[in-house]
Amino acid sequence: MSIDRFGRDITYLRISLTDKCNLRCIYCMPEDMTFRPNQELLQDDEILRLVRVFADLGFFKFRLTGGEPTVRANVVELVREIAHTPGVETVAMTTNGLLLDKLAAPLAEAGLSRVNISIDTLDQMKFKKITRWGKVEEVFDGIRAAEMAGLGVKLNSVVVRNYNDKEDVVDLARLTLTQPWQVRFIEMMPFGDVSDFQQAGIVSEEELRATISQELGPLSMVDNGRLDGEARLFHLQDARGTLGFISSVTQPFCATCSRARLTADGRLRLCLLREKEINLLQPLRAGASDQEMKEIITEAIWWKPWGHKLGQDVIPLNRVMSEIGG
Ligand code: SAM
């Protein structure tokens, strides 16, 4: 068991498989982003060893993210090994979906259970503006391939004022009338070099719900507002799917947080919105035993922070989102 000093049971690890991405979403990283040299990143055997150590500590839910996890060489074999590690119950992935057309079936066969696919608008021009060069049709090919492969699918949309905060949000929400999907709207969070842009462009959950209900009718709360992971769920009348709101900035969900993140360069980050990280790569490469790694991780988890300090202008500046692993 990995418990922090507030009594939270930390059992969910998100692993960034790479800091690299095949898109450059404006809210995620600068266009001229420089990536880390490969030797500074966790190698396959190091990831698998850490997964075994975390699973021994009671972690059972794993999510692969990035950067873009599907651009990592060997991603299918990594999923297979992780999914077959004793103690691991689910392996999910957050992806932009561009490579799922080819990878969804092998990933599902290897043991992946779910994908969260990022799609911020259905409009090709705006999609290009947000991602800097993506094609929205390729994301849809990925969604279809994931469904065909039997993967659970949720859609993630980060909302940015003056980019996709009006009809795009309504169009995405409308998908739930005919599709059994969970479409989740994520409040934009500020990080590193792009934090000014992010803070100026944030759209709150309250505003989003008002925009959607004005066009599509009232939203009813699902499960009395109980969180599904980090999302508060609603549904439109007669909808097949649900709408989720992930409001880390205006309504943080620290009390139910069970997450820790492993960055692509092997740092354990206990809170997305706080800079504190513990270097696991260094002791791993210096020959630490599994027992020693467990002690380092257990101590780090004990000190997992509570709450962001954005209200006091404390913004995590040491990394952008693609480096942490969203
Ligand atoms: N490349 C993958 C993708 O597009 O989903 C995985 C990595 S991406 C960093 C993971 C998630 O973080 C995506 O849903 C993305 O939209 C979201 N994200 C990136 N920057 C963000 C920010 N500043 N605030 C909120 N969410 C952000």
Side-chain angles (χ1 to χ4, degrees):
M1 293 262 277
S2 289
I3 295 186
D4 77 357
R5 70 205 146 114
F6 301 108
R8 294 176 294 186
D9 202 359
I10 314 305
T11 52
Y12 178 11
L13 187 68
R14 299 190 180 209
I15 305 174
S16 173
L17 290 188
T18 172
D19 57 346
K20 299 178 188 62
C21 190
N22 44 1
L23 294 178
R24 294 286 181 281
C25 299
I26 42 164
Y27 50 74
C28 192
M29 63 169 115
E31 188 166 11
D32 59 352
M33 179 84 188
T34 42
F35 298 105
R36 284 171 203 276
N38 189 43
Q39 68 271 21
E40 287 182 18
L41 304 180
L42 285 169
Q43 307 298 302
D44 290 2
D45 59 330
E46 292 169 332
I47 291 179
L48 295 175
R49 181 157 170 228
L50 284 172
V51 167
R52 285 195 294 275
V53 167
F54 276 96
D56 272 357
L57 286 170
F59 281 69
F60 59 87
K61 204 173 152 188
F62 289 77
R63 173 173 295 277
L64 307 178
T65 177
E68 172 50 41
T70 58
V71 303
R72 177 156 181 144
N74 251 353
V75 63
V76 174
E77 282 317 306
L78 273 174
V79 166
R80 191 184 312 283
E81 294 282 339
I82 295 170
H84 289 93
T85 301
V88 173
E89 289 182 14
T90 57
V91 185
M93 183 178 278
T94 301
T95 169
N96 60 31
L98 295 185
L99 299 180
L100 283 183
D101 192 17
K102 295 202 172 48
L103 283 175
L107 285 170
E109 184 273 324
L112 191 74
S113 48
R114 290 195 297 273
V115 279
N116 288 5
I117 301 177
S118 300
I119 180 163
D120 298 333
T121 171
L122 304 182
D123 178 294
Q124 172 49 32
M125 296 293 280
K126 289 191 197 165
F127 190 77
K128 193 165 174 203
K129 204 166 151 196
I130 292 175
T131 61
R132 295 200 175 99
W133 57 68
K135 291 197 183 119
V136 75
E137 193 43 45
E138 290 179 3
V139 184
F140 267 97
D141 291 344
I143 295 171
R144 278 189 283 268
E147 287 200 307
M148 290 280 290
L151 293 168
V153 175
K154 291 179 184 172
L155 304 186
N156 280 350
S157 173
V158 174
V159 184
V160 188
R161 190 171 301 289
N162 297 331
Y163 280 81
N164 62 340
D165 58 322
K166 294 281 185 304
E167 61 273 21
D168 306 275
V169 166
V170 174
D171 290 345
L172 284 159
R174 192 179 285 114
L175 289 175
T176 65
L177 293 174
T178 52
Q179 304 295 334
W181 297 333
Q182 188 183 117
V183 176
R184 296 141 39 111
F185 297 104
I186 303 175
E187 276 181 359
M188 190 165 49
M189 293 172 274
F191 295 97
D193 291 351
V194 270
S195 62
D196 286 347
F197 169 81
Q198 290 154 333
Q199 287 194 300
I202 184 176
V203 184
S204 70
E205 170 180 338
E206 206 181 338
E207 183 178 335
L208 285 174
R209 282 200 272 123
T211 305
I212 294 169
S213 55
Q214 207 170 16
E215 292 298 320
L216 301 177
L219 298 180
S220 317
M221 207 178 245
V222 174
D223 264 356
N224 285 324
R226 199 164 55 88
L227 292 180
D228 174 41
E230 57 277 74
R232 204 179 324 280
L233 299 187
F234 292 80
H235 68 85
L236 291 162
Q237 206 176 347
D238 299 327
R240 291 185 67 204
T242 51
L243 299 171
F245 295 88
I246 302 180
S247 310
S248 321
V249 177
T250 64
Q251 300 180 49
F253 38 85
C254 306
T256 56
C257 184
S258 59
R259 296 165 196 80
R261 287 180 165 79
L262 184 60
T263 65
D265 59 341
R267 270 59 174 179
L268 182 62
R269 183 149 171 143
L270 280 317
C271 172
L272 189 52
L273 285 165
R274 301 287 282 272
E275 286 188 347
K276 189 176 162 59
E277 293 174 352
I278 290 83
N279 189 339
L280 298 186
L281 185 65
Q282 191 273 329
L284 202 65
R285 290 192 179 169
S289 66
D290 283 0
Q291 186 52 35
E292 285 164 335
M293 292 308 298
K294 281 182 200 167
E295 282 163 18
I296 295 169
I297 294 166
T298 306
E299 166 79 6
I301 285 172
W302 180 255
W303 295 107
K304 178 175 159 70
W306 184 293
H308 64 63
K309 296 204 164 166
L310 300 177
Q312 290 114 282
D313 260 351
V314 181
I315 292 161
L317 293 174
N318 57 343
R319 291 172 186 269
V320 292
M321 185 73 154
S322 62
E323 296 173 299
I324 306 168

